[in-house]
Amino acid sequence: MEDSIPSLSSFLDYYPASNYSLSELMDYSAEGEKSSIGFMELLNMQDFEPSVLDMLHVPVPSVEPLIQTQTSTVFQESSEVVNTPATPNSSSISSESSGGPNDEQNKEVLDGDGEEEDEEEQHKKTKKQLKPKKTSQKRQREPRFAFMTKSEVDHLEDGYRWRKYGQKAVKNSAFPRSYYRCTTASCNVKKRVERSYSDPSTVVTTYEGQHTHPSPVMARPSLAATLASSSAFFSGGAATFLPSAQTVLSSPSHYNYSTVVNGGFMGSTNIISAAAGLRSSTLLTDIGLLQDILPPSIVRKEE
DNA sequence: CGGTTTTGACCCGCGC
DNA sequence: GCGCGGGTCAAAACCG
């Protein structure tokens, strides 16, 4: 799986020190507000409207250079996208990785929409007990979105409740990776959180799946409204994220991606995001989505 | 007491 | 076939 997630090291490779540096990116976040609300709430907004960005009246200052630096990649079936959330300390950079040719992991959560629960459960159980029969069909991996966030805390507030179900040491990294699952029943969203070994101040959060319920935070009308109108968001096909801090999305060289610059969160931060290719059938979807969602002026795609 | 975290074991795919 | 690394499970510990 090393190819799947580039982790910071590879991530940096994609961002040679041309116009910007990671640290620079991080700087931006510094001024961002540490909204207590995370981007997860944003995730909730599955039906975002293009106009949202318009609402963002935040200028996109120096972020742009960054985007330009990105190199283009080839479209492949990758399913990860990176974003940056904005929680406590907000800036982040995201990198995408992909599952590569074979995706295995869980079956598509999306297609079930409710009943995948049983399926997954059984799947796990079988696996657990004796794995007598392994479904011949490969498990499909859902699109994943990774966010690199500069934060002191590993587990960022994102409006949803998570239950940690595992932790593993990461190769080549002194920091462990934690695995979380949304505590809401029937919601199979998972997320992995790990600290960048090259930059301990950066936390890489990877989301997988799509929430099938509103976030607790969004339950509050006023708050939700605020978020909706002031947050930037990112959509990657299966899931929608609304990062609130600076975000940079990128994907490995072999994956294609697009970069997007959004307005800042709460009016003061900027976001840069890139979408990685989605699964085979939706290869161009991500970019298409981004372009669809974001005004051309803020969407930059390299090729 | 219920929910969450911890943690070692287990499963599985992949590369050699 | 074997070892490695990533991901998940689940029992025990922990916590409010």
Side-chain angles (χ1 to χ4, degrees), chain A residues 102 104 127 131 139 161-167 183:
Chain A
N102 34 30
E104 61 277 318
K127 184 203 268 187
K131 78 193 174 211
R139 286 178 281 186
R161 291 182 60 75
W162 303 88
R163 182 169 57 78
K164 187 176 184 176
Y165 67 89
Q167 178 174 302
T183 58

mmCIF file of all heavy atoms in Angstrom, chain A residues 102 104 127 131 139 161-167 183, chain B residues 3-15:
data_model
loop_
_atom_site.group_PDB
_atom_site.id
_atom_site.type_symbol
_atom_site.label_atom_id
_atom_site.label_comp_id
_atom_site.label_asym_id
_atom_site.label_seq_id
_atom_site.Cartn_x
_atom_site.Cartn_y
_atom_site.Cartn_z
ATOM 1 N N ASN A 102 -5.671 -2.650 -8.089
ATOM 2 C CA ASN A 102 -6.629 -3.491 -7.405
ATOM 3 C C ASN A 102 -7.068 -2.814 -6.165
ATOM 4 O O ASN A 102 -6.318 -2.429 -5.345
ATOM 5 C CB ASN A 102 -5.991 -4.760 -6.998
ATOM 6 C CG ASN A 102 -4.625 -4.486 -6.655
ATOM 7 O OD1 ASN A 102 -4.319 -3.442 -6.217
ATOM 8 N ND2 ASN A 102 -3.802 -5.392 -6.822
ATOM 9 N N GLU A 104 -9.067 -3.162 -2.886
ATOM 10 C CA GLU A 104 -9.683 -4.161 -2.067
ATOM 11 C C GLU A 104 -9.989 -3.398 -0.840
ATOM 12 O O GLU A 104 -9.492 -2.439 -0.583
ATOM 13 C CB GLU A 104 -8.690 -5.207 -1.725
ATOM 14 C CG GLU A 104 -7.608 -4.628 -0.998
ATOM 15 C CD GLU A 104 -6.668 -4.034 -1.942
ATOM 16 O OE1 GLU A 104 -6.420 -4.635 -2.908
ATOM 17 O OE2 GLU A 104 -6.206 -2.973 -1.656
ATOM 18 N N LYS A 127 -14.716 -12.813 7.543
ATOM 19 C CA LYS A 127 -13.289 -12.576 7.505
ATOM 20 C C LYS A 127 -12.718 -12.931 8.855
ATOM 21 O O LYS A 127 -11.716 -13.586 8.981
ATOM 22 C CB LYS A 127 -13.095 -11.094 7.262
ATOM 23 C CG LYS A 127 -11.676 -10.746 7.107
ATOM 24 C CD LYS A 127 -11.539 -9.318 7.442
ATOM 25 C CE LYS A 127 -11.656 -8.420 6.292
ATOM 26 N NZ LYS A 127 -11.374 -7.097 6.587
ATOM 27 N N LYS A 131 -13.113 -17.009 7.453
ATOM 28 C CA LYS A 131 -13.034 -16.573 6.081
ATOM 29 C C LYS A 131 -13.181 -17.752 5.186
ATOM 30 O O LYS A 131 -12.353 -18.024 4.352
ATOM 31 C CB LYS A 131 -11.703 -15.989 5.825
ATOM 32 C CG LYS A 131 -10.828 -17.124 5.668
ATOM 33 C CD LYS A 131 -9.536 -16.915 5.684
ATOM 34 C CE LYS A 131 -8.679 -18.044 5.664
ATOM 35 N NZ LYS A 131 -7.629 -17.900 6.249
ATOM 36 N N ARG A 139 -13.084 -6.385 -3.569
ATOM 37 C CA ARG A 139 -13.780 -5.360 -2.810
ATOM 38 C C ARG A 139 -13.402 -4.061 -3.447
ATOM 39 O O ARG A 139 -12.266 -3.829 -3.792
ATOM 40 C CB ARG A 139 -13.319 -5.372 -1.375
ATOM 41 C CG ARG A 139 -13.884 -6.558 -0.667
ATOM 42 C CD ARG A 139 -13.374 -6.557 0.714
ATOM 43 N NE ARG A 139 -12.035 -7.070 0.765
ATOM 44 C CZ ARG A 139 -11.396 -7.274 1.887
ATOM 45 N NH1 ARG A 139 -11.971 -6.989 3.001
ATOM 46 N NH2 ARG A 139 -10.187 -7.736 1.902
ATOM 47 N N ARG A 161 -19.015 12.202 15.155
ATOM 48 C CA ARG A 161 -18.461 11.450 16.274
ATOM 49 C C ARG A 161 -17.777 10.206 15.734
ATOM 50 O O ARG A 161 -18.317 9.484 14.917
ATOM 51 C CB ARG A 161 -19.587 11.052 17.242
ATOM 52 C CG ARG A 161 -20.157 12.249 17.951
ATOM 53 C CD ARG A 161 -21.222 11.830 18.931
ATOM 54 N NE ARG A 161 -20.700 10.914 19.943
ATOM 55 C CZ ARG A 161 -19.934 11.300 20.943
ATOM 56 N NH1 ARG A 161 -19.593 12.569 21.057
ATOM 57 N NH2 ARG A 161 -19.497 10.434 21.808
ATOM 58 N N TRP A 162 -16.587 9.970 16.231
ATOM 59 C CA TRP A 162 -15.818 8.836 15.734
ATOM 60 C C TRP A 162 -15.383 7.912 16.863
ATOM 61 O O TRP A 162 -15.159 8.336 17.976
ATOM 62 C CB TRP A 162 -14.566 9.347 15.025
ATOM 63 C CG TRP A 162 -14.838 10.286 13.907
ATOM 64 C CD1 TRP A 162 -14.975 11.649 13.986
ATOM 65 C CD2 TRP A 162 -15.032 9.957 12.533
ATOM 66 N NE1 TRP A 162 -15.222 12.168 12.748
ATOM 67 C CE2 TRP A 162 -15.262 11.147 11.836
ATOM 68 C CE3 TRP A 162 -15.019 8.749 11.825
ATOM 69 C CZ2 TRP A 162 -15.489 11.186 10.471
ATOM 70 C CZ3 TRP A 162 -15.243 8.782 10.461
ATOM 71 C CH2 TRP A 162 -15.477 9.992 9.802
ATOM 72 N N ARG A 163 -15.246 6.693 16.493
ATOM 73 C CA ARG A 163 -14.786 5.718 17.476
ATOM 74 C C ARG A 163 -13.506 5.118 16.911
ATOM 75 O O ARG A 163 -13.456 4.662 15.780
ATOM 76 C CB ARG A 163 -15.825 4.617 17.669
ATOM 77 C CG ARG A 163 -15.413 3.604 18.707
ATOM 78 C CD ARG A 163 -16.585 2.697 19.049
ATOM 79 N NE ARG A 163 -17.129 2.005 17.881
ATOM 80 C CZ ARG A 163 -16.569 0.950 17.348
ATOM 81 N NH1 ARG A 163 -15.457 0.474 17.859
ATOM 82 N NH2 ARG A 163 -17.097 0.367 16.301
ATOM 83 N N LYS A 164 -12.521 5.147 17.689
ATOM 84 C CA LYS A 164 -11.237 4.631 17.228
ATOM 85 C C LYS A 164 -11.286 3.114 17.266
ATOM 86 O O LYS A 164 -11.710 2.519 18.248
ATOM 87 C CB LYS A 164 -10.126 5.135 18.151
ATOM 88 C CG LYS A 164 -8.740 4.799 17.683
ATOM 89 C CD LYS A 164 -7.732 5.446 18.621
ATOM 90 C CE LYS A 164 -6.315 5.211 18.139
ATOM 91 N NZ LYS A 164 -5.337 5.932 18.993
ATOM 92 N N TYR A 165 -10.896 2.495 16.218
ATOM 93 C CA TYR A 165 -10.941 1.032 16.210
ATOM 94 C C TYR A 165 -9.593 0.401 15.944
ATOM 95 O O TYR A 165 -9.467 -0.828 15.860
ATOM 96 C CB TYR A 165 -11.969 0.534 15.205
ATOM 97 C CG TYR A 165 -11.637 0.815 13.761
ATOM 98 C CD1 TYR A 165 -10.888 -0.086 13.011
ATOM 99 C CD2 TYR A 165 -12.077 1.974 13.159
ATOM 100 C CE1 TYR A 165 -10.593 0.163 11.687
ATOM 101 C CE2 TYR A 165 -11.788 2.236 11.835
ATOM 102 C CZ TYR A 165 -11.050 1.325 11.095
ATOM 103 O OH TYR A 165 -10.758 1.571 9.776
ATOM 104 N N GLY A 166 -8.602 1.184 15.823
ATOM 105 C CA GLY A 166 -7.287 0.587 15.605
ATOM 106 C C GLY A 166 -6.181 1.608 15.498
ATOM 107 O O GLY A 166 -6.432 2.792 15.302
ATOM 108 N N GLN A 167 -5.018 1.137 15.670
ATOM 109 C CA GLN A 167 -3.862 2.016 15.550
ATOM 110 C C GLN A 167 -2.711 1.149 15.074
ATOM 111 O O GLN A 167 -2.535 0.027 15.546
ATOM 112 C CB GLN A 167 -3.527 2.648 16.897
ATOM 113 C CG GLN A 167 -2.298 3.545 16.841
ATOM 114 C CD GLN A 167 -2.087 4.279 18.152
ATOM 115 O OE1 GLN A 167 -2.956 4.999 18.599
ATOM 116 N NE2 GLN A 167 -0.936 4.069 18.774
ATOM 117 N N THR A 183 -19.388 6.771 14.441
ATOM 118 C CA THR A 183 -20.162 6.013 15.425
ATOM 119 C C THR A 183 -21.632 5.871 15.065
ATOM 120 O O THR A 183 -22.331 5.045 15.630
ATOM 121 C CB THR A 183 -20.097 6.682 16.810
ATOM 122 O OG1 THR A 183 -20.593 8.007 16.692
ATOM 123 C CG2 THR A 183 -18.672 6.722 17.302
ATOM 124 P P DG B 3 -24.237 3.009 24.833
ATOM 125 O OP1 DG B 3 -25.356 3.601 24.088
ATOM 126 O OP2 DG B 3 -23.947 1.559 24.728
ATOM 127 O "O5'" DG B 3 -22.913 3.807 24.440
ATOM 128 C "C5'" DG B 3 -22.806 5.192 24.788
ATOM 129 C "C4'" DG B 3 -21.357 5.613 24.740
ATOM 130 O "O4'" DG B 3 -20.622 4.987 25.807
ATOM 131 C "C3'" DG B 3 -20.639 5.233 23.440
ATOM 132 O "O3'" DG B 3 -19.883 6.354 22.996
ATOM 133 C "C2'" DG B 3 -19.728 4.087 23.847
ATOM 134 C "C1'" DG B 3 -19.414 4.430 25.295
ATOM 135 N N9 DG B 3 -19.055 3.288 26.131
ATOM 136 C C8 DG B 3 -19.765 2.125 26.298
ATOM 137 N N7 DG B 3 -19.178 1.280 27.112
ATOM 138 C C5 DG B 3 -18.022 1.931 27.504
ATOM 139 C C6 DG B 3 -16.984 1.518 28.380
ATOM 140 O O6 DG B 3 -16.888 0.456 29.003
ATOM 141 N N1 DG B 3 -15.996 2.478 28.504
ATOM 142 C C2 DG B 3 -16.004 3.694 27.866
ATOM 143 N N2 DG B 3 -14.962 4.500 28.100
ATOM 144 N N3 DG B 3 -16.961 4.100 27.045
ATOM 145 C C4 DG B 3 -17.936 3.171 26.908
ATOM 146 P P DT B 4 -19.135 6.247 21.616
ATOM 147 O OP1 DT B 4 -19.385 7.502 20.885
ATOM 148 O OP2 DT B 4 -19.419 4.948 20.972
ATOM 149 O "O5'" DT B 4 -17.613 6.242 22.106
ATOM 150 C "C5'" DT B 4 -17.182 7.250 23.024
ATOM 151 C "C4'" DT B 4 -15.751 6.989 23.435
ATOM 152 O "O4'" DT B 4 -15.673 5.837 24.299
ATOM 153 C "C3'" DT B 4 -14.794 6.729 22.264
ATOM 154 O "O3'" DT B 4 -13.625 7.522 22.447
ATOM 155 C "C2'" DT B 4 -14.458 5.258 22.390
ATOM 156 C "C1'" DT B 4 -14.616 5.008 23.875
ATOM 157 N N1 DT B 4 -14.960 3.621 24.256
ATOM 158 C C2 DT B 4 -14.112 2.947 25.106
ATOM 159 O O2 DT B 4 -13.086 3.435 25.544
ATOM 160 N N3 DT B 4 -14.505 1.675 25.430
ATOM 161 C C4 DT B 4 -15.646 1.020 25.001
ATOM 162 O O4 DT B 4 -15.888 -0.125 25.366
ATOM 163 C C5 DT B 4 -16.484 1.784 24.099
ATOM 164 C C7 DT B 4 -17.733 1.154 23.560
ATOM 165 C C6 DT B 4 -16.105 3.032 23.777
ATOM 166 P P DT B 5 -12.500 7.496 21.373
ATOM 167 O OP1 DT B 5 -12.041 8.884 21.211
ATOM 168 O OP2 DT B 5 -12.952 6.726 20.200
ATOM 169 O "O5'" DT B 5 -11.352 6.677 22.112
ATOM 170 C "C5'" DT B 5 -10.961 7.091 23.420
ATOM 171 C "C4'" DT B 5 -9.921 6.131 23.972
ATOM 172 O "O4'" DT B 5 -10.527 4.852 24.258
ATOM 173 C "C3'" DT B 5 -8.738 5.863 23.036
ATOM 174 O "O3'" DT B 5 -7.547 5.959 23.812
ATOM 175 C "C2'" DT B 5 -8.972 4.437 22.562
ATOM 176 C "C1'" DT B 5 -9.726 3.821 23.717
ATOM 177 N N1 DT B 5 -10.654 2.710 23.379
ATOM 178 C C2 DT B 5 -10.511 1.520 24.058
ATOM 179 O O2 DT B 5 -9.627 1.329 24.883
ATOM 180 N N3 DT B 5 -11.429 0.554 23.738
ATOM 181 C C4 DT B 5 -12.465 0.664 22.835
ATOM 182 O O4 DT B 5 -13.237 -0.261 22.648
ATOM 183 C C5 DT B 5 -12.545 1.930 22.143
ATOM 184 C C7 DT B 5 -13.614 2.142 21.129
ATOM 185 C C6 DT B 5 -11.659 2.880 22.448
ATOM 186 P P DT B 6 -6.179 5.790 23.127
ATOM 187 O OP1 DT B 6 -5.244 6.713 23.773
ATOM 188 O OP2 DT B 6 -6.359 5.801 21.654
ATOM 189 O "O5'" DT B 6 -5.763 4.296 23.560
ATOM 190 C "C5'" DT B 6 -5.891 3.922 24.927
ATOM 191 C "C4'" DT B 6 -5.488 2.482 25.106
ATOM 192 O "O4'" DT B 6 -6.563 1.602 24.709
ATOM 193 C "C3'" DT B 6 -4.258 2.053 24.301
ATOM 194 O "O3'" DT B 6 -3.389 1.331 25.168
ATOM 195 C "C2'" DT B 6 -4.816 1.153 23.218
ATOM 196 C "C1'" DT B 6 -6.055 0.580 23.879
ATOM 197 N N1 DT B 6 -7.168 0.194 22.981
ATOM 198 C C2 DT B 6 -7.772 -1.018 23.196
ATOM 199 O O2 DT B 6 -7.419 -1.805 24.052
ATOM 200 N N3 DT B 6 -8.836 -1.279 22.358
ATOM 201 C C4 DT B 6 -9.328 -0.468 21.365
ATOM 202 O O4 DT B 6 -10.297 -0.818 20.710
ATOM 203 C C5 DT B 6 -8.630 0.776 21.177
ATOM 204 C C7 DT B 6 -9.083 1.715 20.114
ATOM 205 C C6 DT B 6 -7.601 1.051 21.990
ATOM 206 P P DT B 7 -1.921 1.076 24.739
ATOM 207 O OP1 DT B 7 -1.100 1.076 25.958
ATOM 208 O OP2 DT B 7 -1.586 1.970 23.610
ATOM 209 O "O5'" DT B 7 -2.002 -0.417 24.177
ATOM 210 C "C5'" DT B 7 -2.721 -1.394 24.932
ATOM 211 C "C4'" DT B 7 -2.800 -2.680 24.124
ATOM 212 O "O4'" DT B 7 -4.018 -2.706 23.343
ATOM 213 C "C3'" DT B 7 -1.649 -2.874 23.144
ATOM 214 O "O3'" DT B 7 -1.217 -4.213 23.210
ATOM 215 C "C2'" DT B 7 -2.281 -2.598 21.795
ATOM 216 C "C1'" DT B 7 -3.687 -3.093 22.020
ATOM 217 N N1 DT B 7 -4.728 -2.534 21.126
ATOM 218 C C2 DT B 7 -5.877 -3.275 20.926
ATOM 219 O O2 DT B 7 -6.085 -4.346 21.443
ATOM 220 N N3 DT B 7 -6.771 -2.693 20.065
ATOM 221 C C4 DT B 7 -6.641 -1.484 19.414
ATOM 222 O O4 DT B 7 -7.532 -1.067 18.663
ATOM 223 C C5 DT B 7 -5.421 -0.763 19.686
ATOM 224 C C7 DT B 7 -5.176 0.554 19.046
ATOM 225 C C6 DT B 7 -4.541 -1.319 20.523
ATOM 226 P P DG B 8 0.283 -4.548 22.842
ATOM 227 O OP1 DG B 8 1.094 -4.384 24.061
ATOM 228 O OP2 DG B 8 0.662 -3.839 21.616
ATOM 229 O "O5'" DG B 8 0.187 -6.107 22.518
ATOM 230 C "C5'" DG B 8 -0.569 -6.948 23.380
ATOM 231 C "C4'" DG B 8 -1.340 -7.965 22.558
ATOM 232 O "O4'" DG B 8 -2.411 -7.299 21.843
ATOM 233 C "C3'" DG B 8 -0.488 -8.674 21.504
ATOM 234 O "O3'" DG B 8 -0.796 -10.068 21.542
ATOM 235 C "C2'" DG B 8 -0.914 -8.033 20.189
ATOM 236 C "C1'" DG B 8 -2.356 -7.645 20.466
ATOM 237 N N9 DG B 8 -2.851 -6.506 19.709
ATOM 238 C C8 DG B 8 -2.206 -5.319 19.469
ATOM 239 N N7 DG B 8 -2.906 -4.472 18.754
ATOM 240 C C5 DG B 8 -4.089 -5.145 18.515
ATOM 241 C C6 DG B 8 -5.241 -4.741 17.799
ATOM 242 O O6 DG B 8 -5.452 -3.667 17.210
ATOM 243 N N1 DG B 8 -6.226 -5.733 17.796
ATOM 244 C C2 DG B 8 -6.106 -6.948 18.412
ATOM 245 N N2 DG B 8 -7.157 -7.778 18.304
ATOM 246 N N3 DG B 8 -5.043 -7.338 19.080
ATOM 247 C C4 DG B 8 -4.078 -6.396 19.091
ATOM 248 P P DA B 9 -0.118 -11.035 20.534
ATOM 249 O OP1 DA B 9 0.347 -12.211 21.301
ATOM 250 O OP2 DA B 9 0.805 -10.287 19.654
ATOM 251 O "O5'" DA B 9 -1.384 -11.495 19.652
ATOM 252 C "C5'" DA B 9 -2.603 -11.783 20.317
ATOM 253 C "C4'" DA B 9 -3.686 -12.066 19.282
ATOM 254 O "O4'" DA B 9 -4.096 -10.821 18.656
ATOM 255 C "C3'" DA B 9 -3.233 -12.986 18.143
ATOM 256 O "O3'" DA B 9 -4.279 -13.914 17.857
ATOM 257 C "C2'" DA B 9 -2.985 -12.033 16.983
ATOM 258 C "C1'" DA B 9 -3.972 -10.910 17.249
ATOM 259 N N9 DA B 9 -3.558 -9.592 16.768
ATOM 260 C C8 DA B 9 -2.351 -8.984 16.946
ATOM 261 N N7 DA B 9 -2.268 -7.789 16.413
ATOM 262 C C5 DA B 9 -3.522 -7.595 15.840
ATOM 263 C C6 DA B 9 -4.082 -6.526 15.121
ATOM 264 N N6 DA B 9 -3.429 -5.398 14.835
ATOM 265 N N1 DA B 9 -5.350 -6.658 14.688
ATOM 266 C C2 DA B 9 -6.005 -7.791 14.969
ATOM 267 N N3 DA B 9 -5.597 -8.868 15.639
ATOM 268 C C4 DA B 9 -4.324 -8.696 16.052
ATOM 269 P P DC B 10 -4.008 -15.069 16.828
ATOM 270 O OP1 DC B 10 -4.700 -16.273 17.334
ATOM 271 O OP2 DC B 10 -2.573 -15.106 16.468
ATOM 272 O "O5'" DC B 10 -4.824 -14.533 15.559
ATOM 273 C "C5'" DC B 10 -6.157 -14.065 15.740
ATOM 274 C "C4'" DC B 10 -6.636 -13.416 14.459
ATOM 275 O "O4'" DC B 10 -6.039 -12.106 14.330
ATOM 276 C "C3'" DC B 10 -6.271 -14.188 13.183
ATOM 277 O "O3'" DC B 10 -7.453 -14.433 12.445
ATOM 278 C "C2'" DC B 10 -5.338 -13.254 12.436
ATOM 279 C "C1'" DC B 10 -5.718 -11.887 12.971
ATOM 280 N N1 DC B 10 -4.647 -10.856 12.932
ATOM 281 C C2 DC B 10 -4.913 -9.632 12.326
ATOM 282 O O2 DC B 10 -6.022 -9.432 11.836
ATOM 283 N N3 DC B 10 -3.936 -8.680 12.281
ATOM 284 C C4 DC B 10 -2.749 -8.947 12.829
ATOM 285 N N4 DC B 10 -1.824 -7.988 12.765
ATOM 286 C C5 DC B 10 -2.458 -10.190 13.453
ATOM 287 C C6 DC B 10 -3.424 -11.111 13.490
ATOM 288 P P DC B 11 -7.383 -15.403 11.204
ATOM 289 O OP1 DC B 11 -8.574 -16.279 11.245
ATOM 290 O OP2 DC B 11 -6.038 -15.966 11.074
ATOM 291 O "O5'" DC B 11 -7.589 -14.333 10.035
ATOM 292 C "C5'" DC B 11 -8.645 -13.382 10.135
ATOM 293 C "C4'" DC B 11 -8.582 -12.434 8.954
ATOM 294 O "O4'" DC B 11 -7.555 -11.451 9.178
ATOM 295 C "C3'" DC B 11 -8.253 -13.126 7.630
ATOM 296 O "O3'" DC B 11 -9.168 -12.684 6.638
ATOM 297 C "C2'" DC B 11 -6.836 -12.674 7.312
ATOM 298 C "C1'" DC B 11 -6.744 -11.324 8.021
ATOM 299 N N1 DC B 11 -5.381 -10.937 8.477
ATOM 300 C C2 DC B 11 -4.883 -9.691 8.127
ATOM 301 O O2 DC B 11 -5.566 -8.950 7.415
ATOM 302 N N3 DC B 11 -3.661 -9.331 8.564
ATOM 303 C C4 DC B 11 -2.951 -10.157 9.334
ATOM 304 N N4 DC B 11 -1.759 -9.751 9.754
ATOM 305 C C5 DC B 11 -3.447 -11.441 9.699
ATOM 306 C C6 DC B 11 -4.654 -11.793 9.259
ATOM 307 P P DC B 12 -9.222 -13.431 5.268
ATOM 308 O OP1 DC B 12 -10.628 -13.451 4.833
ATOM 309 O OP2 DC B 12 -8.446 -14.690 5.333
ATOM 310 O "O5'" DC B 12 -8.431 -12.411 4.335
ATOM 311 C "C5'" DC B 12 -8.743 -11.013 4.405
ATOM 312 C "C4'" DC B 12 -7.788 -10.244 3.521
ATOM 313 O "O4'" DC B 12 -6.578 -9.936 4.257
ATOM 314 C "C3'" DC B 12 -7.347 -11.025 2.276
ATOM 315 O "O3'" DC B 12 -7.461 -10.198 1.146
ATOM 316 C "C2'" DC B 12 -5.897 -11.381 2.553
ATOM 317 C "C1'" DC B 12 -5.456 -10.242 3.460
ATOM 318 N N1 DC B 12 -4.356 -10.578 4.377
ATOM 319 C C2 DC B 12 -3.330 -9.643 4.584
ATOM 320 O O2 DC B 12 -3.387 -8.567 4.000
ATOM 321 N N3 DC B 12 -2.314 -9.954 5.413
ATOM 322 C C4 DC B 12 -2.296 -11.135 6.030
ATOM 323 N N4 DC B 12 -1.277 -11.396 6.840
ATOM 324 C C5 DC B 12 -3.334 -12.096 5.835
ATOM 325 C C6 DC B 12 -4.338 -11.777 5.015
ATOM 326 P P DG B 13 -7.444 -10.873 -0.267
ATOM 327 O OP1 DG B 13 -8.775 -10.705 -0.886
ATOM 328 O OP2 DG B 13 -6.807 -12.201 -0.203
ATOM 329 O "O5'" DG B 13 -6.441 -9.875 -1.004
ATOM 330 C "C5'" DG B 13 -6.559 -8.472 -0.784
ATOM 331 C "C4'" DG B 13 -5.236 -7.794 -1.089
ATOM 332 O "O4'" DG B 13 -4.289 -8.074 -0.034
ATOM 333 C "C3'" DG B 13 -4.588 -8.267 -2.388
ATOM 334 O "O3'" DG B 13 -4.100 -7.124 -3.076
ATOM 335 C "C2'" DG B 13 -3.465 -9.182 -1.938
ATOM 336 C "C1'" DG B 13 -3.088 -8.601 -0.578
ATOM 337 N N9 DG B 13 -2.577 -9.570 0.377
ATOM 338 C C8 DG B 13 -3.139 -10.778 0.716
ATOM 339 N N7 DG B 13 -2.460 -11.419 1.637
ATOM 340 C C5 DG B 13 -1.394 -10.585 1.915
ATOM 341 C C6 DG B 13 -0.324 -10.744 2.835
ATOM 342 O O6 DG B 13 -0.118 -11.676 3.609
ATOM 343 N N1 DG B 13 0.547 -9.662 2.802
ATOM 344 C C2 DG B 13 0.400 -8.564 1.988
ATOM 345 N N2 DG B 13 1.338 -7.619 2.093
ATOM 346 N N3 DG B 13 -0.590 -8.399 1.136
ATOM 347 C C4 DG B 13 -1.450 -9.443 1.149
ATOM 348 P P DC B 14 -3.511 -7.307 -4.484
ATOM 349 O OP1 DC B 14 -3.925 -6.144 -5.288
ATOM 350 O OP2 DC B 14 -3.759 -8.675 -4.964
ATOM 351 O "O5'" DC B 14 -1.958 -7.162 -4.159
ATOM 352 C "C5'" DC B 14 -1.516 -6.095 -3.322
ATOM 353 C "C4'" DC B 14 -0.012 -6.170 -3.152
ATOM 354 O "O4'" DC B 14 0.312 -7.107 -2.108
ATOM 355 C "C3'" DC B 14 0.733 -6.637 -4.411
ATOM 356 O "O3'" DC B 14 1.879 -5.822 -4.606
ATOM 357 C "C2'" DC B 14 1.124 -8.070 -4.083
ATOM 358 C "C1'" DC B 14 1.284 -8.024 -2.567
ATOM 359 N N1 DC B 14 1.041 -9.311 -1.883
ATOM 360 C C2 DC B 14 1.927 -9.725 -0.883
ATOM 361 O O2 DC B 14 2.886 -9.009 -0.608
ATOM 362 N N3 DC B 14 1.699 -10.901 -0.259
ATOM 363 C C4 DC B 14 0.651 -11.641 -0.593
ATOM 364 N N4 DC B 14 0.458 -12.783 0.063
ATOM 365 C C5 DC B 14 -0.270 -11.234 -1.607
ATOM 366 C C6 DC B 14 -0.042 -10.071 -2.225
ATOM 367 P P DG B 15 2.575 -5.878 -5.979
ATOM 368 O OP1 DG B 15 2.537 -4.527 -6.545
ATOM 369 O OP2 DG B 15 2.107 -7.039 -6.768
ATOM 370 O "O5'" DG B 15 4.072 -6.179 -5.505
ATOM 371 C "C5'" DG B 15 4.619 -5.464 -4.404
ATOM 372 C "C4'" DG B 15 5.855 -6.190 -3.891
ATOM 373 O "O4'" DG B 15 5.465 -7.369 -3.166
ATOM 374 C "C3'" DG B 15 6.791 -6.654 -5.000
ATOM 375 O "O3'" DG B 15 8.135 -6.410 -4.610
ATOM 376 C "C2'" DG B 15 6.504 -8.139 -5.127
ATOM 377 C "C1'" DG B 15 6.101 -8.516 -3.701
ATOM 378 N N9 DG B 15 5.152 -9.614 -3.612
ATOM 379 C C8 DG B 15 4.011 -9.794 -4.351
ATOM 380 N N7 DG B 15 3.341 -10.867 -4.021
ATOM 381 C C5 DG B 15 4.091 -11.431 -2.992
ATOM 382 C C6 DG B 15 3.869 -12.598 -2.240
ATOM 383 O O6 DG B 15 2.925 -13.399 -2.313
ATOM 384 N N1 DG B 15 4.872 -12.803 -1.303
ATOM 385 C C2 DG B 15 5.952 -11.995 -1.122
ATOM 386 N N2 DG B 15 6.820 -12.349 -0.178
ATOM 387 N N3 DG B 15 6.176 -10.894 -1.822
ATOM 388 C C4 DG B 15 5.208 -10.671 -2.732
#
